Amino acid sequence: LFGGARKDFTSTGRGRFRQDINILLCGDPGTSKSQMLQYVYNLVPRGQYTSGKGSSATGLTAYITRDPETKQVVLQTGALVLSDNGVCCIDEFDKMDDSTRAVLHEVMEQQTLSIAKAGIICVLNARASVLAAANPCDSRWNPKLTIVENIQLPHTLLSRFDLIFLMLDPQSESFDRRLATHLVSLYYRNSSKPRPESIDSDVLRDYIAYARTFINPRLSDEAGQKLIHTYVGMRKVGMGRGTVTAYPRQLESLIRLSEAHARMRLSNVVEELDVDEAVRLHKEALKQAATDPKTGQIDMEILMTGLSASSRAKRTELAKFIVRTLQSGGRAYKMSELYDACKEGYKDGFTQVQYEMVLRDLQEENKIVQTSNRYYRLKDV
């Protein structure tokens, strides 16, 4: 809602840095993800609400139409451009078409939209925060799978979200009782009873608008040093086990979150307490979204490449076993026959999808070739 400070380096040729924070909510159905999106949409001064299934690429970006009076070709902007300097809420994010989802890559990093349609070539501003909600492909969250496998979204898009939160159904009696009490009380509670203390939505809307307009926080020396030490520490965690636990994008996310927290306090200086809160939020999100279910350790490569270090090592071992099987057999194997041979001899289990991906990788590396009738053999040297 608040976002980071505006940074414009166009005079030096480096362009404009992203200031808005993108957040993805994913998890079990019935955990009020859509309710939260609706609340944010009704709260922000400028915002758009759209559903992934009912959205097209032109509806999100821009489309060409003909003016009925002048008969001129005009450009009509879509949801992302209309929510400039606001929040674009996208529900059912996982049900978007690939062509629709592809337009978000530029918006979520460069915050612009490049249009080239019907002779109209232009670049539109789309400086909007993206708040998206997605459901798992199997309806319920599977803790044995990574987030990429659970929600079937490209890792190139997931890496552009600053925070990814899981909203899971805990299935505990105390939680169920509190939730049921709250829901039932909405139907029978007397409106004359005093409500718990809360901020009026109009006051909160004005507070957010004032902070975004007049507060432009800058990093203090202490906060800058703390961010550097935090990033270096995050990188060191993964060096010992050969994984990457932080990328420069994570450092930029920490800066944006720190500035947003300072803006919430109506402070023009980012202090150490803002950095501490940003690090806490970021670690909590990473703990949920970037944890390798096989090792239980944080692995940023899941979000950046779609594969964890353990999955990559397993694919390498399976590829070596396939090559050894073809060498020992000394002949071409049918795809199903080679699959059965690997199932019998390979100690660790694997799925049909993993097997086909390894075969494709070996073909791309020119280690094996596919003959007619889907037979595989080693490539002749």
Side-chain angles (χ1 to χ4, degrees):
L1 291 173
F2 289 85
R6 187 171 286 108
K7 308 171 194 66
D8 194 354
F9 299 107
T10 51
S11 58
T12 60
R14 287 190 292 168
R16 190 174 56 224
F17 286 8
R18 174 158 69 94
Q19 64 175 9
D20 297 292
I21 298 168
N22 301 321
I23 297 178
L24 175 65
L25 308 175
C26 50
D28 296 327
T31 49
S32 302
K33 297 188 295 294
S34 299
Q35 291 289 332
M36 190 175 292
L37 263 64
Q38 286 281 0
Y39 179 80
V40 171
Y41 165 65
N42 293 321
L43 181 65
V44 293
R46 292 189 68 175
Q48 296 292 322
Y49 182 91
T50 181
S51 177
K53 194 66 177 175
S55 302
S56 64
T58 53
L60 287 177
T61 55
Y63 59 95
I64 300 294
T65 185
R66 193 173 292 277
D67 190 277
E69 296 180 358
T70 62
K71 306 301 180 185
Q72 295 287 326
V73 175
V74 293
L75 188 69
Q76 296 284 350
T77 54
L80 289 169
V81 183
L82 290 174
S83 54
D84 186 34
N85 287 322
V87 180
C88 185
C89 303
I90 306 176
D91 203 358
E92 306 289 348
F93 193 66
D94 55 304
K95 295 179 178 61
M96 271 185 165
D97 297 333
D98 291 338
S99 58
T100 308
R101 217 182 280 131
V103 304
L104 293 171
H105 287 80
E106 181 187 358
V107 173
M108 292 178 66
E109 196 58 46
Q110 280 77 38
Q111 294 199 305
T112 57
L113 268 174
S114 303
I115 303 295
K117 295 181 179 182
I120 299 176
I121 301 173
C122 61
V123 177
L124 303 174
N125 285 324
R127 297 160 296 185
S129 294
V130 175
L131 177 61
N135 288 322
C137 56
D138 293 331
S139 293
R140 285 199 61 81
W141 188 267
N142 189 348
K144 297 180 180 179
L145 301 177
T146 64
I147 186 172
V148 177
E149 296 165 339
N150 260 307
I151 58 178
Q152 303 280 312
L153 286 176
H155 54 82
T156 52
L157 200 58
L158 284 176
S159 64
R160 283 167 164 78
F161 284 102
D162 297 285
L163 298 173
I164 301 176
F165 285 112
L166 302 186
M167 301 178 68
L168 306 181
D169 189 352
Q171 294 181 336
S172 67
E173 185 178 350
S174 60
F175 176 83
D176 295 341
R177 189 174 298 279
R178 285 207 322 272
L179 178 62
T181 304
H182 170 69
L183 288 176
V184 172
S185 67
L186 295 177
Y187 290 89
Y188 75 82
R189 189 193 314 177
N190 190 355
S191 59
S192 62
K193 288 184 179 180
R195 299 182 61 186
E197 186 178 352
S198 60
I199 303 175
D200 186 66
S201 59
D202 293 332
V203 176
L204 184 56
R205 186 181 296 111
D206 293 341
Y207 185 89
I208 294 170
Y210 176 84
R212 288 182 68 99
T213 306
F214 297 105
I215 306 299
N216 201 29
R218 288 286 179 265
L219 287 172
S220 63
D221 292 338
E222 295 81 6
Q225 289 300 318
K226 193 171 185 64
L227 281 167
I228 294 171
H229 291 315
T230 302
Y231 177 68
V232 172
M234 290 167 66
R235 294 280 294 184
K236 278 183 180 177
V237 170
M239 285 182 181
R241 58 177 189 265
T243 60
V244 180
T245 49
Y247 283 90
R249 269 185 182 164
Q250 276 66 57
L251 177 58
E252 291 183 336
S253 296
L254 288 175
I255 295 172
R256 282 190 289 268
L257 291 168
S258 304
E259 291 172 345
H261 193 265
R263 193 175 255 178
M264 288 173 65
R265 299 188 297 109
L266 300 183
S267 171
N268 279 310
V269 179
V270 178
E271 300 175 3
E272 288 192 43
L273 64 96
D274 302 311
V275 178
D276 291 337
E277 180 61 19
V279 172
R280 187 193 68 82
L281 270 175
H282 193 262
K283 283 185 176 178
E284 190 63 31
L286 281 184
K287 216 183 297 178
Q288 297 181 20
T291 301
D292 186 356
K294 294 183 178 64
T295 62
Q297 296 174 331
I298 292 176
D299 188 356
M300 280 306 300
E301 293 188 26
I302 294 174
L303 300 180
M304 292 295 174
T305 64
L307 279 176
S308 62
S310 60
S311 299
R312 191 174 288 105
K314 184 176 181 179
R315 285 175 62 170
T316 304
E317 289 299 320
L318 181 58
K320 290 179 181 177
F321 186 83
I322 290 175
V323 171
R324 287 199 301 268
T325 303
L326 291 173
Q327 285 175 342
S328 60
R331 60 183 178 85
Y333 281 80
K334 200 172 182 179
M335 186 177 183
S336 58
E337 186 183 3
L338 183 59
Y339 178 78
D340 294 337
C342 292
K343 272 290 186 184
E344 290 177 7
Y346 191 64
K347 302 297 182 186
D348 299 328
F350 59 90
T351 63
Q352 178 77 23
V353 176
Q354 291 173 330
Y355 169 72
E356 292 175 358
M357 290 176 70
V358 170
L359 280 183
R360 189 162 59 246
D361 292 342
L362 288 173
Q363 283 182 270
E364 291 174 356
E365 294 170 6
N366 286 327
K367 291 183 178 179
I368 64 173
V369 291
Q370 179 183 357
T371 59
S372 58
N373 299 325
R374 293 175 71 82
Y375 276 83
Y376 291 90
R377 61 175 176 82
L378 287 175
K379 185 176 175 61
D380 299 327
V381 180

